Structures are given as structure tokens and as C-alpha cells.
Amino acid sequence: RNPGASRPGLASSLASRNRMSAGSAPCSTKVKRVFITGGTHGNEACGVVLAKHFIKTPQLFAGFSFEVSVLLTNVASIASNSRYVDEDMNRCFLQKDLSDPTRTSTLEARRAKELNDVLGPKGSADAADLIIDLHNTTADTGVALMMPPGDELSHAIASHLISLDPSVRVCNWNANQNDWPMLPSVGKHGMTFEVGAVPWGVMDGAVYQKTRRLVLASLQYVEAHNAALARQPPGPWLPTSVQVHAFVRAVDYPRDADGEIAGMIHPDFQGKDFEPLQRGDAAFLSVDGQTAIPFTPKPPPEEEAEAEQLYPFFINEAAYVEKKTAFMLARRFDRPVQAAQL
């Protein structure tokens, strides 16, 4: 297979997958291949160590009706205990970049093409049925599952995990895009396990335990999903819903006339991921250490209506300073899901 070769209908296939009506029907994909990946950011230690643990304990995946493979992704950044070597590899998986034979100037761009050949090719019938990518964040997100808005299987898995641990959150990638640059987007279905707050390069036992338990529970749901599809007629499916946080925009730090950061996350705002953020709430503290800088939403029609409730997440994520992001904003709604019964 040539992962860089163009394939007829690929763009329309991706657009169809990503824009499909949310919650309209259960996922009809029989899952045959699942990949668990760790080390896309090499300094997110819990995900790296958990992937290594899974590689050494294949018996955990015995008896499933599908194949489970575990990969370490950005092996060079794992070795250096750094987020990346040349560029953020979790921004290297847009279809246009994977298909561009000239985009090979960075280690991560080259590695993304190698991974696309194993996990994909993206948008093809050969792509993995499900990819679970293990991450940590310095923000106080708890367990936040990041996924495409139209991914029925990932939302159904999320509904099962929420039934086991109500603190689990679901975040949708930007619904205004037809494609995303994140590694899980290479599969037919996929999600990022973002778990925090954990500093770079540090193991957190409680976070590790929770992530391990929920990843294994995800696989148990996939088994129930396959069993439901095998019945005649398929099912039963449980109509339910999951609370979703839909990406709105990123918010930068306050900056002075020279473009330097002029404020930090306010102490009263730190750690308030997924809590309501109101107009006028203290979001930042000026570098004078005294002046609170309030949150001000953009006026419509550019963004939200005056009364719309927004929810911040990835507050003070260390890796996003270089991306000029102090936190992200989301809208919250309940999304219908048809889930297999365990």
C-alpha cells in the first residue's frame, strides 16, 4: 500500500464520516482491528508507561473478537522525554499532509507517514476500526475523551465509560472542519484519552490506574458492540445520551504592545475546567500581581450570543503556551447515542 497515493472519493468519504447526523443510528461497523497508541507526546509519561505495560501483557486482550495492537508512536520524543523533536506530531495527520510527498522536513512529519501506513491509510477501507491514543495534560481536565463529532462508536464507548465513572467528559473536535490533524483521526473511529492534571514527564498513580481501567472497559464495550451486531436482528441498542463539550475557540493570554504575555491564569480560575465561565469572571491576573482581567466573550455574530453559557477546558495547559492558548471554550449539549448493552 502506498499511503501517499491519492484515492478517488477520499475527500468525500472523510467529509461524510465527519458530518454524519449525530446520534441518528448505532454504529454499524464490526470492529476487527483496534490500536492503542502511546507516546504521541513523548513527555506524557502515564500514556507512555501504560502503552509499554500493554505491550508486555498481551494476555489482557485474549478472547476478544477483534485484534488489539499497541504501538509507541513518537519514539524519538519518548527517548528524550520531550513533547516532540521538531514539531507537534499530533498536528501531522491531516490527509493533505499525509498525501504530500514533499512534507518530510521534520522527524514527526516522516513518522506520521509511517504510522499512517500502519494505522491507515487514512480514509481507506484498510484503516483501523478504532484508535485509542493515550495522553496526559497539565490542565485539570480529569478524564476527557476527545473525538470527532460524528463518530458514533466513540460516543457510545464514552457513554459506557461515563456509566462507570460519571467524572468522564466528552469533547468534540471542531465541527466546522472536514478533517483533523490528530492521530486518532487516521482510523475509521478514534479518540484521545486526555487525562490530567499531570506534570510533564511525571507518573501519577491515581491517573494511571483510572486510565488503565477505562481503556480496558472501552475494549469490553467494543466486544459488546460486536456481539450486538452479530445478533439477528442486531441489538438490542439502548437509547441514551452523553453530555458533549463542542469546541468554540481558543483564548490567548493577555499581551502587551510588544506581544509579550501580560497576564496569567487567575488563581480563582485555575483548575476550573468544565465549570461555567461567565462574562466578567476573573480569567487572568495581570503581571502586576494585583489586577484581575475579566473574561469577555466575542460579540455576535462572530461568536456566542450574550446569554450563551460557555465552558472552559485545557486551562493553563503548559504545551499550549506556544500555541498562544491559555484555555479553550466549549458549548455543552446532550447528544443522543445508541449504545450496546453490556
Side-chain angles (χ1 to χ4, degrees):
R1 297 177 301 179
N2 178 3
S6 61
R7 290 174 294 281
L10 177 61
S12 60
S13 171
L14 289 171
S16 174
R17 182 193 70 176
N18 298 336
R19 289 177 170 173
M20 57 193 277
S21 175
S24 58
C27 173
S28 60
T29 302
K30 179 182 178 181
V31 176
K32 299 177 182 178
R33 289 199 309 152
V34 174
F35 281 87
I36 300 171
T37 54
T40 301
H41 296 136
N43 60 356
E44 296 176 5
C46 288
V48 172
V49 173
L50 184 54
K52 290 180 177 179
H53 164 67
F54 284 152
I55 289 171
K56 294 177 180 178
T57 54
Q59 64 271 21
L60 291 172
F61 313 123
F64 286 130
S65 59
F66 49 90
E67 175 188 352
V68 179
S69 301
V70 187
L71 290 177
L72 296 174
T73 51
N74 196 342
V75 290
S77 71
I78 293 171
S80 62
N81 191 30
S82 59
R83 181 173 173 86
Y84 55 79
V85 176
D86 295 322
E87 67 171 318
D88 187 341
M89 194 171 74
N90 213 30
R91 302 297 183 271
C92 292
F93 292 92
L94 285 172
Q95 183 58 52
K96 67 180 181 64
D97 293 332
L98 295 171
S99 301
D100 183 354
T102 68
R103 197 183 188 291
T104 57
S105 61
T106 68
L107 181 149
E108 280 79 13
R110 295 189 296 272
R111 179 60 174 158
K113 286 177 165 58
E114 294 172 357
L115 290 167
N116 184 54
D117 202 21
V118 175
L119 304 172
K122 186 172 185 174
S124 75
D126 293 327
D129 296 302
L130 175 66
I131 299 174
I132 298 174
D133 196 25
L134 306 177
H135 287 249
N136 295 127
T137 171
T138 63
D140 194 13
T141 60
V143 178
L145 307 177
M146 312 285 167
M147 62 191 66
D151 189 335
E152 296 301 327
L153 178 61
S154 292
H155 284 85
I157 293 171
S159 73
H160 174 58
L161 299 187
I162 291 169
S163 74
L164 301 176
D165 183 347
S167 71
V168 172
R169 309 283 189 175
V170 175
C171 296
N172 281 171
W173 297 334
N174 193 339
N176 295 322
Q177 298 176 206
N178 290 331
D179 191 16
W180 298 278
M182 282 70 81
L183 182 147
S185 69
V186 174
K188 296 184 182 75
H189 307 276
M191 67 174 79
T192 303
F193 262 65
E194 284 281 5
V195 192
V198 184
W200 288 347
V202 171
M203 291 293 298
D204 183 300
V207 165
Y208 181 90
Q209 286 179 318
K210 178 176 282 193
T211 306
R212 182 182 184 277
R213 182 174 68 251
L214 292 176
V215 170
L216 293 175
S218 299
L219 300 180
Q220 292 163 0
Y221 177 84
V222 172
E223 184 65 21
H225 167 83
N226 278 356
L229 288 177
R231 298 187 185 103
Q232 292 299 327
W237 305 103
L238 176 66
T240 184
S241 65
V242 294
Q243 187 181 82
V244 167
H245 298 84
F247 176 83
V248 173
R249 68 176 172 103
V251 178
D252 192 8
Y253 292 90
R255 296 184 181 270
D256 62 21
D258 297 322
E260 297 291 329
I261 289 178
M264 63 208 76
I265 295 296
H266 195 280
D268 293 341
F269 186 41
Q270 180 66 44
K272 298 296 180 65
D273 296 73
F274 301 112
E275 296 187 18
L277 180 62
Q278 310 289 351
R279 172 184 286 273
D281 285 351
F284 299 102
L285 180 67
S286 172
V287 292
D288 65 15
Q290 300 179 30
T291 306
I293 302 173
F295 166 68
T296 304
K298 291 183 178 180
E302 184 177 0
E303 196 181 279
E304 56 272 9
E306 177 74 22
E308 183 176 19
Q309 183 62 69
L310 296 173
Y311 298 84
F313 63 108
F314 284 141
I315 299 172
N316 224 9
E317 162 56 52
Y320 288 172
V321 174
E322 68 179 23
K323 301 180 190 296
K324 295 187 176 182
T325 296
F327 58 92
M328 295 183 183
L329 289 172
R331 298 182 175 97
R332 178 184 287 176
F333 63 94
D334 290 331
R335 180 195 193 277
V337 171
Q338 299 284 331
Q341 298 187 40
L342 278 75

